[in-house]
Amino acid sequence: MTRRTPRATLVPYTTLFRSIRRAAEFELISGGRYNAGLGRLTELWGLHEISTNPSALPNNADIAAILADRPGAIRIDWDQNRAGTRSDFVMLALGGIAKGAILEDSVAISHEMGITDAIINTGGDLTVLVNVRARPALIGIPSPRPPRPCAPLL
């Protein structure tokens, strides 16, 4: 999403809509320490690439140009359900926020379907649903270090 791309129409209260709104809220609350709109900077550093070859360091002038524009989710302009930006450098990277929203939606759907016991994994982030009837639940986590089969039980 940049100044050159057309405004996107988003269906209200979808996971994407909520995630973008939440990203802007977190950016404000954190004083910019959390910023989902720095995708161009992430791209410049090559952090979005899955590669065994390290990327070359980006040019300082390119970094300065992006930072001078102050990109961020708070730079997204909303006109009802349409979103856009006047910045050439805002590029959303909603990984963590989107995963949380997807987990929340998955829990709601699981409850609607009557599922009470489940592990929902979004690739590193997970939620555990368990109906333990007021008993403590034991969760075993496989240890990455042999020979112990499990880390201490939680």
Side-chain angles (χ1 to χ4, degrees), residues 10 16 35 40 45 60 65 69 80 95 115-116 120 133 144 150:
L10 302 173
L16 177 60
N35 188 338
R40 287 273 182 253
W45 279 89
N60 286 339
D69 187 67
Q80 294 182 348
I115 297 171
T116 58
I120 305 167
R133 296 173 195 76
C150 275

Side-chain angles (χ1 to χ4, degrees), residues 15-126:
T15 301
L16 177 60
F17 181 92
R18 287 192 335 258
S19 296
I20 294 171
R21 293 276 193 185
R22 191 173 288 170
E25 289 172 20
F26 288 163
E27 188 175 336
L28 284 171
I29 291 168
S30 71
R33 289 176 188 85
Y34 174 84
N35 188 338
L38 290 175
R40 287 273 182 253
L41 196 58
T42 302
E43 182 180 63
L44 184 65
W45 279 89
L47 299 176
H48 68 289
E49 297 174 10
I50 299 174
S51 172
T52 56
N53 300 325
S55 300
L57 292 177
N59 179 304
N60 286 339
D62 292 339
I63 295 171
I66 292 171
L67 293 178
D69 187 67
R70 302 182 60 86
I74 60 174
R75 298 278 310 272
I76 295 173
D77 303 314
W78 293 88
D79 178 16
Q80 294 182 348
N81 301 331
R82 295 176 58 78
T85 183
R86 291 183 182 91
S87 170
D88 284 332
F89 296 108
V90 171
M91 181 177 174
L92 295 174
L94 297 170
I97 286 183
K99 282 185 176 184
I102 290 166
L103 284 172
E104 288 173 4
D105 289 350
S106 299
V107 167
I109 291 167
S110 297
H111 287 153
E112 288 172 11
M113 296 176 68
I115 297 171
T116 58
D117 299 317
I119 297 175
I120 305 167
N121 187 343
T122 59
D125 296 311
L126 58 89

